[in-house]
Amino acid sequence: MNCERPYYKDMHCRPYLFYVIFGVKSGELKVSRERYHVDGFPTGLELMFCNRDNNDAYMQSLIGGHLGKILDCENHALYEKMQRSDQWAVLRGEVQQDSDLRYMQNVIGFIQALLDDGAEGVLDLQTFSLYPAVEWTKKFFGQEFDVYNHVTILASETEDGLMWLHTRGMRKFARPDISVSSVVSDEVDAAVSMINQMIYYGSMGAFFDREVKFHMQGGKAYIVNPHFTGDYENPDFNNAYYHFEWQECLSDTF
């Protein structure tokens, strides 16, 4: 995994990660540095083992309510399996060193070690994504690092018939999520392409604090002036975020 963040700037906030690995088989973890490509456990994270006898209320608080309904709709069988599992590992916290992405490499390795030891699946609480063990391994451990696997783009139609697109998951990289409103239906693909560029550069450490031009396929470019909001309590993001209206973007050619 290439761990460099060539556009990194210290924004004095830190990546926040929150994973639940369910159906674990023991309350300890042994990790081969060579097999799992780890060089240490990231400072600022904690790994806690939970069981139903002692931690049932906490465990249920993580997957109940509105989130539980989302997960149940996403994968009913896997959600039911998670509900029935007696023992979890919870990996969460703020990473203290993020000038490169070694912390993500290490986290992926530690989660994979739990899965290889018999755990049944993984819940990413930043993106509300539920993975069976085999899918996690294939998507995250079995290939080169792909930032787009760690961030999700959500779409919803507003009352005026336009689309609102926004991300979840950029907090893993200590960068704002992205909100784009007033997108007409036939320009959703272009808006997604722009969002993906912002995801990529954000994961590489960039922070957009001025007007920026994004070059798209087909010789088109868009000039955007993202407005930053440092509200970490907004439930749509659980993170700070950029916002702009698609109709305010200036189109250009190159």
Side-chain angles (χ1 to χ4, degrees):
M1 171 178 169
N2 182 358
C3 295
E4 295 181 1
R5 301 187 82 184
Y7 309 109
Y8 178 78
K9 179 180 179 180
D10 189 355
M11 303 306 301
H12 306 291
C13 59
R14 294 294 173 253
Y16 182 71
L17 283 69
F18 201 157
Y19 294 96
V20 174
I21 304 90
F22 58 92
V24 298
K25 301 307 180 186
S26 66
E28 61 181 18
L29 178 60
K30 296 179 181 179
V31 181
S32 163
R33 289 175 176 260
E34 182 177 357
R35 165 156 173 69
Y36 296 107
H37 316 297
V38 301
D39 56 17
F41 194 76
T43 302
L45 296 184
E46 63 175 358
L47 181 65
M48 178 177 68
F49 289 90
C50 306
N51 61 67
R52 293 290 179 184
D53 289 340
N54 299 311
N55 312 104
D56 185 64
Y58 171 69
M59 295 165 74
Q60 194 56 37
S61 73
L62 295 181
I63 60 168
H66 181 62
L67 175 57
K69 294 177 181 178
I70 293 174
L71 298 176
D72 194 24
C73 290
E74 177 184 325
N75 190 326
H76 175 72
L78 190 59
Y79 178 66
E80 286 292 303
K81 181 181 287 189
M82 186 177 189
Q83 287 271 38
R84 293 192 303 268
S85 61
D86 292 324
Q87 187 157 293
W88 296 357
V90 177
L91 192 160
R92 64 179 295 183
E94 288 191 349
V95 175
Q96 296 304 300
Q97 169 57 38
D98 68 335
S99 60
D100 58 47
L101 293 175
R102 286 189 179 87
Y103 69 92
M104 287 300 302
Q105 177 176 284
N106 287 323
V107 165
I108 291 169
F110 281 107
I111 292 175
Q112 186 60 43
L114 287 163
L115 296 175
D116 286 348
D117 193 45
E120 296 173 309
V122 180
L123 169 61
D124 180 348
L125 278 160
Q126 292 287 32
T127 60
F128 299 161
S129 301
L130 195 58
Y131 303 96
V134 172
E135 182 181 348
W136 167 274
T137 299
K138 182 178 180 180
K139 192 169 187 175
F140 296 98
F141 186 72
Q143 65 171 11
E144 284 296 313
F145 177 80
D146 184 346
V147 62
Y148 304 113
N149 288 337
H150 295 269
V151 182
T152 188
I153 300 176
L154 303 171
S156 58
E157 187 173 346
T158 56
E159 293 180 357
D160 54 9
L162 300 175
M163 299 299 294
W164 173 45
L165 308 178
H166 72 93
T167 64
R168 282 190 66 98
M170 288 302 295
R171 197 169 179 183
K172 299 176 192 175
F173 306 99
R175 290 299 178 265
D177 273 290
I178 303 143
S179 172
V180 185
S181 59
S182 303
V183 183
V184 296
S185 58
D186 60 354
E187 293 187 354
V188 167
D189 288 346
V192 168
S193 179
M194 179 186 293
I195 291 171
N196 278 331
Q197 289 196 47
M198 294 182 73
I199 289 171
Y200 172 77
Y201 286 109
S203 74
M204 295 294 103
F207 180 82
F208 301 106
D209 56 359
R210 59 178 64 88
E211 186 177 272
V212 61
K213 178 185 282 191
F214 293 100
H215 297 282
M216 319 289 276
Q217 291 184 346
K220 201 167 188 178
Y222 285 93
I223 300 171
V224 182
N225 185 19
H227 302 286
F228 173 73
T229 300
D231 176 14
Y232 287 83
E233 302 303 319
N234 187 318
D236 289 322
F237 307 96
N238 189 35
N239 188 16
Y241 58 95
Y242 306 109
H243 175 260
F244 56 92
E245 291 195 12
W246 182 253
Q247 294 173 344
E248 294 178 351
C249 299
L250 301 176
S251 60
D252 196 2
T253 56
F254 64 95

